[in-house]
Amino acid sequence: MSSDASEDTRAAAYAELASVGPYGVRPGHALITMVEPHPGHEHAYNRWYEDDHFIAGAMAMPWIFAGRRWVATRELRRLRYPERSAVAQPVTAGCYLTVYWLTEGRYAEHMRWTVGINKRLNRDGRVHQGRTHVFTAFQDHEATVYRDGAAGPRDFHALDHPYTGLVLEVVAAESPERRAELLEWLRARHLPKRLAGSPAAMVTVFRPTPLPLDRMSYVKQVEGVDTRLTLLWFLQRDPRDCWEERFTGLDEDVARSGLGRVELVAPFIPTIPGTDRYVDELR
């Protein structure tokens, strides 16, 4: 893994690059990736992702400033709906979810790097092949809705704050023309009502963007880039403790609005870095 000391790493260019372009703290973009390790590869996948890929394939890259891994045990995956999901087939597919924040306005620069580093990792045999990407997309930030207004952590803290659960929700507008209307209904009406008094401190809303044409072949092109929105609910309680009370019926709410449909609601809990905790609870 080490580089030859004599290798030209173009270090002089870094000072020049650091002096230009946006460098705010707002999560203007995200990488959201839900992955299913192949049966029998659960331990190997977990160790590869956490010990190598989370760092070398993501956190060490320019303009990713936060990341966190989440896991769905078999008990958590049984709570998912709708049963006939347009995102996960079957709906229980996708044991691990990883979320990364990217600096606003730095998407293009990051994509140039991520394509290059993933080609290098593949060439060097540092990519675990025993996995399937169920839902992997770079996404642009559209809104954050807070339960407590200005109090509490901001969205740029969300992947560092010790939240005890996360719910991934994917919704789709009836047509590309109606997605803005769906977003406004979520932001102004639906989410404030659902957040009030709930264990969710905030919901971030993103819209997916197409993956580059020179992406890795094992990652399929993103679907629904014109109609979908991705919601991340950050919870201060284990989702199993509040599921029936707070997270059932989201699909009915969206359907009643007449603006779209829910394609997936999936709860997760955080992994414990450096351990294989929960791996034996996946199957």
Side-chain angles (χ1 to χ4, degrees):
M1 295 185 188
S2 61
S3 298
D4 189 318
S6 64
E7 182 181 351
D8 178 12
T9 60
R10 305 183 190 179
Y14 285 85
E16 180 181 354
L17 291 172
S19 68
V20 296
Y23 67 122
V25 300
R26 187 169 178 267
H29 321 276
L31 171 57
I32 302 171
T33 174
M34 186 167 69
V35 172
E36 177 75 9
H38 295 172
H41 290 254
E42 294 86 357
H43 282 85
Y45 169 79
N46 189 52
R47 293 273 43 88
W48 163 76
Y49 197 96
E50 193 165 88
D51 296 344
D52 189 4
H53 200 64
F54 181 82
I55 300 167
M59 294 301 296
M61 293 193 207
W63 307 116
I64 280 186
F65 68 87
R68 194 169 188 187
R69 297 186 70 214
W70 309 81
V71 61
T73 63
R74 56 183 175 270
E75 180 184 8
L76 284 161
R77 295 200 310 280
R78 283 197 290 264
L79 299 176
R80 293 180 180 181
Y81 65 91
E83 184 177 355
R84 297 178 65 84
S85 170
V87 174
Q89 299 93 34
V91 70
T92 53
C95 296
Y96 286 100
L97 178 74
T98 310
V99 180
Y100 302 98
W101 288 165
L102 281 69
T103 301
E104 184 175 26
R106 291 296 193 172
Y107 177 77
E109 293 96 322
H110 174 78
M111 289 307 298
R112 293 286 298 275
W113 189 285
T114 192
V115 170
I117 197 65
N118 277 285
K119 287 182 177 179
R120 183 181 183 185
L121 290 169
N122 269 277
R123 185 174 64 245
D124 292 347
R126 289 174 60 182
V127 174
H128 185 86
Q129 301 296 339
R131 77 199 197 281
T132 298
H133 283 266
V134 177
F135 179 72
T136 293
F138 284 89
Q139 314 222 9
D140 288 341
H141 181 260
E142 288 287 352
T144 300
V145 182
Y146 296 100
R147 181 192 60 200
D148 303 323
R154 302 292 85 190
D155 52 11
F156 48 85
H157 301 127
L159 301 181
D160 299 309
H161 187 79
Y163 288 112
T164 53
L166 178 143
V167 174
L168 167 70
E169 180 183 2
V170 181
V171 300
E174 289 300 327
S175 66
E177 294 75 23
R178 302 205 74 182
R179 183 166 65 179
E181 191 178 353
L182 174 61
L183 173 63
E184 180 58 21
W185 174 79
L186 289 167
R187 186 194 63 78
R189 298 177 58 188
H190 174 66
L191 294 179
K193 181 179 178 181
R194 278 279 182 168
L195 282 170
S198 83
M202 73 177 81
V203 181
T204 58
V205 185
F206 293 85
R207 60 175 174 83
T209 60
L211 289 170
L213 296 178
D214 53 353
R215 70 191 186 281
M216 296 300 100
S217 60
Y218 49 77
V219 183
K220 66 179 181 180
Q221 187 54 269
V222 179
E223 299 174 356
V225 294
D226 295 327
T227 56
R228 280 180 175 168
L229 294 168
T230 304
L231 285 65
L232 300 175
W233 301 69
F234 289 90
L235 310 186
Q236 294 171 318
R237 288 170 57 191
D238 187 308
R240 288 166 289 195
D241 296 339
C242 55
W243 193 255
E244 290 296 326
E245 178 187 0
R246 291 292 181 175
F247 288 99
T248 57
L250 293 175
D251 52 346
E252 297 169 0
D253 289 352
V254 174
R256 277 194 297 268
S257 76
L259 299 172
R261 63 190 177 278
V262 165
E263 296 189 330
L264 180 66
V265 181
F268 293 84
I269 55 177
T271 61
I272 301 176
T275 77
D276 286 325
R277 183 74 175 91
Y278 306 117
V279 172
D280 291 333
E281 300 177 41
L282 299 180
R283 307 301 180 195

